[in-house]
């Protein structure tokens, strides 16, 4: 009863806050409209094979990577069997492994953040085809126990294939591969909670084709980012001759995906698919058959060039008045070996916020120095846009603000500087439970768990 009323209340809060944002947006008020067009998939390091995951003796490659959040366990598949491989540090080779023989063979896996729920595709029987199943365990040391299928979202029938599940962090939105239109396409389905009041797992509903990712082309093996706003997938698009990994983004759950772009490790020489990214989107695991016919799971790292950032050039304390109505000036410093004209200025985001103005001017040098003869990229951000990204802050708090963007050659750049808070700020929006500045299903999930 208590649970029910909290649930109803939280629904209301969610509804009211969404209505508020919509009204505000129509009134043209909240200005933080993220510009996705200019962002690029960036440059990636030469992929390295995780050879230890292959069964080299029998020439059977590892496929379908899904890394735990601590980076220590790789869930993957080999010869149709779900596997777990372990290592002591979040990088470097895996040193031991276990075949998940307590479950039947599968076709694609996704493991929850706490590693207690495993979603996997499974061949049921001829008249049904492949469906997605759930297995659970009470702690990481235990064996998995199969729970059942997501019956509602599947189209059953001979040759019907629903596979390759991938979920948002709250496990309320699933993307998967389905051939129900005759070819492999991406589909999505949602639910309002992981389990019902009685503790039974909740079915996903409303299977919907994600049509904007490929029109009439085939698409495989999606990976959805934890926040549900970025998707990676394998496809053969725009005249490709092999499978490549593509990326697309959307501003919110209500918008279609856009800005489809090929991820830098893709090449028409080889096949790449089954992408899995770390939460910071800086490490990409994927399956590929590459030079000399070598197959398996490969890893590549996003190439990031550090830049020197000076918030409020001329001040080293960088006070930021949370009630400030003006602009926050920020400079990315040029140097002898760094021409700031190589920055794609429109790609720059400070804490995810785009600048309102930019120009080229020598305003500062490194470590608080004044103009040093090297031209800097100077940017002006609306102070309230930046404050809008904060959670609760108090007077004299020191915050690190991060700038991200790309160079014109698509190399990612990153830099940061600190500000000292003047005044107190508490986000107005009570529904933003996890204080990430947006009200979404992640907040909803937190309330509904309490
Ligand atoms: Ca390729
Ligand atoms: Ca400064
Ligand atoms: Ca300078």
């Amino acid at each position: 009863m208590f649970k029910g009323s909290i649930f109803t209340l939280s629904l209301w809060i969610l509804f009211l806050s969404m209505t508020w944002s919509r009204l505000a947006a129509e009134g043209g008020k909240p200005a933080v409209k993220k510009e996705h067009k200019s962002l690029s998939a960036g440059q990636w390091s030469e992929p390295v094979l995780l050879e230890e995951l292959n069964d080299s003796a029998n020439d059977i490659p590892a496929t379908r990577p899904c890394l735990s959040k601590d980076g220590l366990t790789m869930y993957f598949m080999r010869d149709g069997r779900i596997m777990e491989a372990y290592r002591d540090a979040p990088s470097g080779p895996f040193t031991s492994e276990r075949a998940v023989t307590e479950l039947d063979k599968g076709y694609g896996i996704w493991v929850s953040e706490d590693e207690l729920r495993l979603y996997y595709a499974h061949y049921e029987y001829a008249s049904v085809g492949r469906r997605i199943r759930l297995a659970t365990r009470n702690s990481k040391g235990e064996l998995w126990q199969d729970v059942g299928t997501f019956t509602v979202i599947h189209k059953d029938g001979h040759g019907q294939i629903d596979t390759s599940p991938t979920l948002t962090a709250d496990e309320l939105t699933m993307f998967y591969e389905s051939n129900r239109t005759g070819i492999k396409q991406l589909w999505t389905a949602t639910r309002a909670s992981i389990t019902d009041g009685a503790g039974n797992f909740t079915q996903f509903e409303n299977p919907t084709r994600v049509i904007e990712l490929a029109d009439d082309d085939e698409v495989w093996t999606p990976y959805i980012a934890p926040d549900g706003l970025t998707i990676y997938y394998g496809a053969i698009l725009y005249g490709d001759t092999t499978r490549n990994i593509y990326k697309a983004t959307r501003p919110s759950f209500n918008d279609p995906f856009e800005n489809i772009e090929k991820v830098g490790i893709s090449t028409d020489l080889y096949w790449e698919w089954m992408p899995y990214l770390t939460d910071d989107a800086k490490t990409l695991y994927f399956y590929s058959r590459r030079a000399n016919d070598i197959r398996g799971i490969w890893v590549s790292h996003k190439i990031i060039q550090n830049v020197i950032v000076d918030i409020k050039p001329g001040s080293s304390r960088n006070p930021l008045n949370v009630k400030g109505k003006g602009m926050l000036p920020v400079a990315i410093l040029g140097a002898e070996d760094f021409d700031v004209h190589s920055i794609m200025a429109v790609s720059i985001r400070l804490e995810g916020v785009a600048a309102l103005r930019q120009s080229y001017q020598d305003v500062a040098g490194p470590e608080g120095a004044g103009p040093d003869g090297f031209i800097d990229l100077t940017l002006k951000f609306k102070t309230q846009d930046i404050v809008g990204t904060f959670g609760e802050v108090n007077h004299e708090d020191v915050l690190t603000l991060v700038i991200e963007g790309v160079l014109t050659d698509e190399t990612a750049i990153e830099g940061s500087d600190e500000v000292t808070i003047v005044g107190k700020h508490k986000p107005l929006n009570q529904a933003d439970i996890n204080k990430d500045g947006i009200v979404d299903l992640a907040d909803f999930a937190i309330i509904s768990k309490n």
Side-chain angles (χ1 to χ4, degrees), residues 241-245 265-272 288 290:
T241 56
T242 64
R243 283 187 196 183
N244 289 314
I245 295 172
I265 49 92
S266 305
T267 159
D268 260 342
L269 293 173
Y270 314 123
W271 282 43
E272 298 93 8
S288 184
R290 301 184 84 75

Side-chain angles (χ1 to χ4, degrees), residues 310-318 417:
D310 186 354
I311 294 175
K312 291 203 167 184
S315 160
S316 54
R317 199 166 158 273
N318 307 337
D417 196 7

Side-chain angles (χ1 to χ4, degrees), residues 120-198:
Y120 69 110
H122 177 257
Y123 178 77
E124 300 286 303
Y125 41 91
S127 61
V128 168
R130 287 181 213 166
R131 285 174 169 179
I132 294 162
R133 301 189 72 95
L134 172 69
T136 63
R137 58 184 176 185
N138 292 320
S139 74
K140 276 206 255 176
E142 289 179 23
L143 297 183
W144 293 101
Q145 285 196 321
D146 183 72
V147 175
T149 65
F150 291 97
T151 324
V152 178
I153 58 170
H154 298 305
K155 180 172 180 240
D156 292 338
H158 186 73
Q160 285 301 325
I161 294 174
D162 289 330
T163 183
S164 303
T166 176
L167 285 78
T168 50
D170 59 17
E171 292 166 61
L172 303 183
T173 302
M174 181 196 284
F175 288 82
Y176 59 104
E177 220 178 87
S178 178
N179 71 345
R180 69 191 67 185
T181 60
I183 57 169
K184 284 291 190 79
Q185 291 265 298
L186 298 193
W187 286 67
T188 186
T190 55
R191 59 181 174 182
S193 63
I194 296 176
T195 52
D196 64 16

Side-chain angles (χ1 to χ4, degrees), residues 8 90 130 199 238 241 251 281 305 313 398:
T8 313
R130 287 181 213 166
Y238 315 125
T241 56
Q305 183 176 330
V398 174

Side-chain angles (χ1 to χ4, degrees), residues 80 157 190 246 313 363 411 433:
T190 55
Y246 282 86
V363 292
T411 304
I433 307 295

Side-chain angles (χ1 to χ4, degrees), residues 164 177 184 186 218-222 232-236 243 273 275:
S164 303
E177 220 178 87
K184 284 291 190 79
L186 298 193
E218 285 208 286
V219 185
W220 303 270
T221 61
Y232 291 75
Y233 55 102
I236 302 177
R243 283 187 196 183
W273 48 317

